[in-house]
Amino acid sequence: MADSEPVCQPAYPAHAIAVDEEDVNLLQFAENIEHLEADYFLWGALGYGLDEVAPELVMGGPPPIGAKKAKLDSLTLNIITEFAYEEVGHLRILKRTVGGFPRPLMDLSAGNFAKLIDSAFGYALVPPFDPYHDSLSYMISCYVLPYMGLVAYVGTNPLLTGYYAKRVLAGLLGVESGQDAVIRAYLYERAEEQVHPYNHTVAEFTARISELRNRLAKCGIKDEGIIVPKELGAEKRTTTNVLSADADSISYMRTPAEVLRILYSTGDEHIPGGFYPKGGNGKIARGFLKKP
C-alpha cells in the first residue's frame, strides 16, 4: 500500500457553491443574535464589551444601553467568560463569511430585563428583577439568549444552499446548543430554589419565560421550562426537561419573524422594542420594519 497523507477535510463536489446569495441574508440575520449575546456576556463577565475586545466587529454601531458587570461567583464567572469569547468568534466567522453590518442598538439594561420578567409573570415584581444582582439572577436572564440562537439556526438550516454556509451554521448551532444546555443544567440543579426575594422558584421562572416567548411568537409551543407536565416530556415519560425538544426529541425551530417577535418583546416583527429599540439590522430584519 502506498504511503499517503491522511485526508482531514471533506471532499465537496467540484462545482458546489460555497455561499449562495440568499445564504448571505440568512447568516447576516444571525449576527443580530450574536451581537446581543456577545455584548451581554462580555459586560456581565468582564465589565466591558465588544468595543474593547474586538472593536473591528462593531463596525461603528452604537454601544449597548445599560450593560454592566454582574456580581458573579467564580463558577458562573468562568462559564460566562467562556461564552463571551465564543460569541466573539461567532461574529468574526459570520462577518468574514458573509460580511456584516454595524452592531444594532441594544438595550441590555436591568430595566429592560425587569419588563420582560414582569410580562412573564403578569405583574410587576418588587423589587424589579435585576439580572446583574447575583449569579442566579444572571443565569436566569441568560436562559433568554442562546436558546433563541438555537431555534433560529435550526430554522435556518434547511434554507441554506452553499456547503460552507451550512458548515458555518452547523458550527454555530453546535456551540449555541451547548451553551443552552449548560444554562439549563445549571438552573435545573437549582430548580426548587426560591429566587430571592421573590416567592417563585427557579423552575417557575423558566416556565414563565418560556410561556411568554410562546405567546409572543404566536406559533404554538416551541419553548419549554426545565420542569414540564409529562405530556411534554421525553416520550411523555419524564417531567425533567433539561433539554427543550419536540415530541420526537429534536430541537424546535423558529423563523426570523418569530425570533423578532420575541426579542422585540412586541409580538410583532414589524414593531421594534425590547432588546432592539430601533430594530435589528440586515436585509431580513430591516425588511420587516414598518415604514413611517
Side-chain angles (χ1 to χ4, degrees):
M1 182 181 295
D3 291 336
S4 63
E5 292 294 323
V7 176
C8 299
Q9 297 295 328
Y12 297 114
H15 301 292
I17 298 171
V19 179
D20 186 69
E21 183 177 351
E22 187 55 31
D23 295 345
V24 173
N25 296 324
L26 292 165
L27 290 181
Q28 283 190 346
F29 179 79
E31 293 177 21
N32 289 292
I33 301 171
E34 300 295 341
H35 268 297
L36 181 65
E37 294 176 314
D39 263 311
Y40 189 57
F41 293 149
L42 284 168
W43 275 99
L46 306 177
Y48 49 83
L50 202 61
D51 295 271
E52 185 163 336
V53 175
E56 71 281 1
L57 298 176
V58 174
M59 300 178 70
I65 300 168
K68 62 181 182 179
K69 195 176 192 306
K71 298 174 184 176
L72 305 179
D73 59 38
S74 59
L75 169 67
T76 312
L77 177 61
N78 289 341
I79 292 170
I80 299 303
T81 301
E82 179 182 338
F83 286 4
Y85 287 125
E86 288 167 352
E87 299 305 330
V88 174
H90 290 180
L91 279 171
R92 185 174 58 248
I93 193 169
L94 280 169
K95 296 196 178 196
R96 187 173 68 221
T97 302
V98 295
F101 45 68
R103 175 179 58 194
L105 178 65
M106 302 179 298
D107 189 347
L108 302 180
S109 67
N112 185 46
F113 278 95
K115 288 178 186 177
L116 184 152
I117 298 300
D118 288 351
S119 295
F121 279 97
Y123 72 95
L125 272 63
V126 179
F129 179 80
D130 181 358
Y132 300 104
H133 176 69
D134 58 24
S135 295
L136 183 56
S137 298
Y138 192 80
M139 289 299 272
I140 288 172
S141 73
C142 290
Y143 180 83
V144 175
L145 301 180
Y147 187 70
M148 295 312 301
L150 189 165
V151 292
Y153 301 164
V154 173
T156 299
N157 177 62
L159 305 179
L160 294 177
T161 300
Y163 67 83
Y164 190 69
K166 293 176 182 178
R167 165 66 184 97
V168 170
L169 186 79
L172 295 174
L173 178 56
V175 175
E176 294 291 324
S177 300
Q179 291 176 350
D180 184 62
V182 168
I183 292 166
R184 293 179 71 96
Y186 180 107
L187 297 175
Y188 181 79
E189 188 175 15
R190 298 159 177 79
E192 300 307 318
E193 288 184 20
Q194 185 172 318
V195 181
H196 183 76
Y198 313 111
N199 190 30
H200 298 293
T201 64
V202 171
E204 288 179 274
F205 267 81
T206 66
R208 293 299 185 96
I209 293 168
S210 289
E211 289 165 5
L212 173 64
R213 293 192 293 207
N214 286 328
R215 289 199 305 272
L216 289 171
K218 302 176 180 177
C219 291
I221 295 176
K222 297 185 180 182
D223 204 314
E224 302 165 346
I226 55 175
I227 303 291
V228 292
K230 271 195 174 179
E231 57 265 28
L232 292 178
E235 294 302 297
K236 299 184 179 181
R237 296 183 182 185
T238 74
T239 57
T240 297
N241 201 46
V242 179
L243 301 180
S244 180
D246 70 9
D248 294 311
S249 289
I250 63 172
S251 294
Y252 292 106
M253 59 180 283
R254 288 199 185 277
T255 65
E258 290 175 72
V259 171
L260 293 176
R261 288 171 205 156
I262 295 167
L263 293 179
Y264 288 174
S265 296
T266 61
D268 188 335
E269 64 273 29
H270 306 97
I271 304 175
F275 290 110
Y276 303 97
K278 295 185 177 180
N281 280 342
K283 184 176 179 179
I284 292 176
R286 303 311 292 180
F288 283 122
L289 294 184
K290 287 181 176 177
K291 302 297 186 292

